[in-house]
Amino acid sequence: MAIIKVIEVLANSETSWEDATRKAVKQAGKTVKNIRSAWVSDQSVVVKDNDVTEFRVSLKISFEIN
């Protein structure tokens, strides 16, 4: 029987939501093993002088624990 745990992480990127998502999974993978999936639960941007300057994501990352 597999037990799955879920954590929530936040990440940002100056490039895109996809880049922020990749950064979040990669960073989480440094301390969390057996990552199975990531669900983007929220997206937002920072706007300065009518220009998007930062993309932000909130992810729920699931991983198997022994």
Side-chain angles (χ1 to χ4, degrees):
M1 177 174 113
I3 298 176
I4 305 296
K5 184 170 183 169
V6 178
I7 60 171
E8 187 167 6
V9 298
L10 306 172
N12 64 327
S13 168
E14 294 179 355
T15 308
S16 67
W17 285 302
E18 291 83 0
D19 185 51
T21 301
R22 285 186 179 94
K23 286 180 178 180
V25 172
K26 187 169 189 157
Q27 187 67 29
K30 291 180 179 180
T31 56
V32 175
K33 303 304 175 207
N34 302 317
I35 293 176
R36 297 291 177 234
S37 67
W39 174 61
V40 177
S41 58
D42 194 25
Q43 298 175 315
S44 64
V45 295
V46 175
V47 177
K48 184 175 180 183
D49 296 325
N50 297 324
D51 193 24
V52 173
T53 59
E54 185 176 303
F55 297 85
R56 294 180 175 175
V57 293
S58 175
L59 293 102
K60 294 186 185 238
I61 294 179
S62 65
F63 57 98
E64 188 175 334
I65 58 175
N66 298 326

